[in-house]
Amino acid sequence: MSSMADQQRIHPVPDVEAPPQTSPTVPLVPQGTSKSDDQSYPPFHRTYPPMNSKPPKKRSRCCKCLCWTLSLLLLFILILGITVGILFLVFRPKLPKYSIDRLQISQFDLNSMDSSLSATFNVTITARNPNERIGIYYEGGSHLSAWYTETKLCQGSMPKFYQGHRNTTVLVLPLSGQIQNGTGLIMAVQEQQQRTGNIPLRLRGYSHLIL
């Protein structure tokens, strides 16, 4: 049994086809130098300019001042809007209403000497204040004028007065005016009256009111 075990042992066989191992012929260190001759250099570091992380104090103060100013302005606008809204809901202001009750032509004559046209009207107006809690002050500068097409015939001023809430006031306003070279205008008015039987007039008013 021992002789059969010796015969079954495997022994390594050298590889005949493998090329023989040879030692490297090129030296790892160049001739005439040694490892101690290698020079070592310090690592390269890139330098950057210093960065100032904190902004200047003056600029910071200006930004704070601007922010405070804008905040106060927005707060003021908000408070003003709320106040106006509350007043509007409480008083509910309304514009006054006007009506023309009567128009009387006192004078509408052509002067034969200089061809000027003189016009005098009397207009009766009713002004109504529909507000329940607001009175109206009519200041100076309010006026009423009478027009034929695009020509102003006469004009009159409205008086200064105070109109209380839920009040109705009747005004009689005299209007007067003079037009140079009124020959063409009087002929156009007469032709309009003969053709249609009426004279179209337009009243324009301007009121300076304080509620």
Side-chain angles (χ1 to χ4, degrees), residues 121-135:
F121 297 170
N122 292 322
V123 183
T124 303
I125 299 177
T126 300
R128 296 181 177 86
N129 180 11
N131 296 284
E132 298 180 357
R133 300 180 181 180
I134 301 176

Side-chain angles (χ1 to χ4, degrees), residues 23-204:
S23 60
T25 57
V26 180
L28 297 177
V29 180
Q31 296 181 359
T33 60
S34 62
K35 292 184 179 180
S36 60
D37 294 338
D38 295 340
Q39 296 181 359
S40 61
Y41 297 93
F44 177 74
H45 296 283
R46 179 176 294 180
T47 57
Y48 296 93
M51 300 296 292
N52 190 5
S53 59
K54 296 183 179 180
K57 294 184 178 180
K58 292 184 178 180
R59 185 176 180 182
S60 178
R61 291 178 181 177
C62 292
C63 293
K64 290 182 179 180
C65 182
L66 181 60
C67 292
W68 275 105
T69 303
L70 293 177
S71 300
L72 292 177
L73 181 60
L74 292 176
L75 181 62
F76 174 76
I77 293 174
L78 180 62
I79 294 175
L80 181 62
I82 294 174
T83 304
V84 172
I86 294 175
L87 292 177
F88 181 82
L89 293 176
V90 172
F91 293 98
R92 295 186 178 275
K94 299 177 183 179
L95 293 176
K97 298 179 180 181
Y98 304 97
S99 62
I100 306 298
D101 299 332
R102 184 181 179 186
L103 173 63
Q104 181 181 3
I105 300 177
S106 303
Q107 182 183 9
F108 197 74
D109 298 330
L110 183 66
N111 191 345
S112 59
M113 299 295 295
D114 55 359
S115 300
S116 61
L117 178 64
S118 299
T120 303
F121 297 170
N122 292 322
V123 183
T124 303
I125 299 177
T126 300
R128 296 181 177 86
N129 180 11
N131 296 284
E132 298 180 357
R133 300 180 181 180
I134 301 176
I136 300 176
Y137 289 91
Y138 286 82
E139 297 293 329
S142 302
H143 60 267
L144 183 70
S145 58
W147 295 69
Y148 175 76
T149 60
E150 297 299 326
T151 303
K152 184 169 69 172
L153 302 177
C154 51
Q155 179 176 315
S157 300
M158 297 179 62
K160 297 174 60 177
F161 67 98
Y162 170 78
Q163 188 177 26
H165 55 88
R166 305 289 293 182
N167 178 264
T168 300
T169 304
V170 179
L171 302 174
V172 179
L173 304 178
L175 312 181
S176 60
Q178 189 174 16
I179 303 171
Q180 302 297 328
N181 300 323
T183 304
L185 178 61
I186 195 69
M187 292 178 62
V189 171
Q190 291 176 355
E191 182 181 356
Q192 178 74 24
Q193 185 179 9
Q194 292 175 1
R195 187 173 68 252
T196 61
N198 54 36
I199 301 174
L201 298 176
R202 182 167 47 185
L203 296 177
R204 295 178 180 177

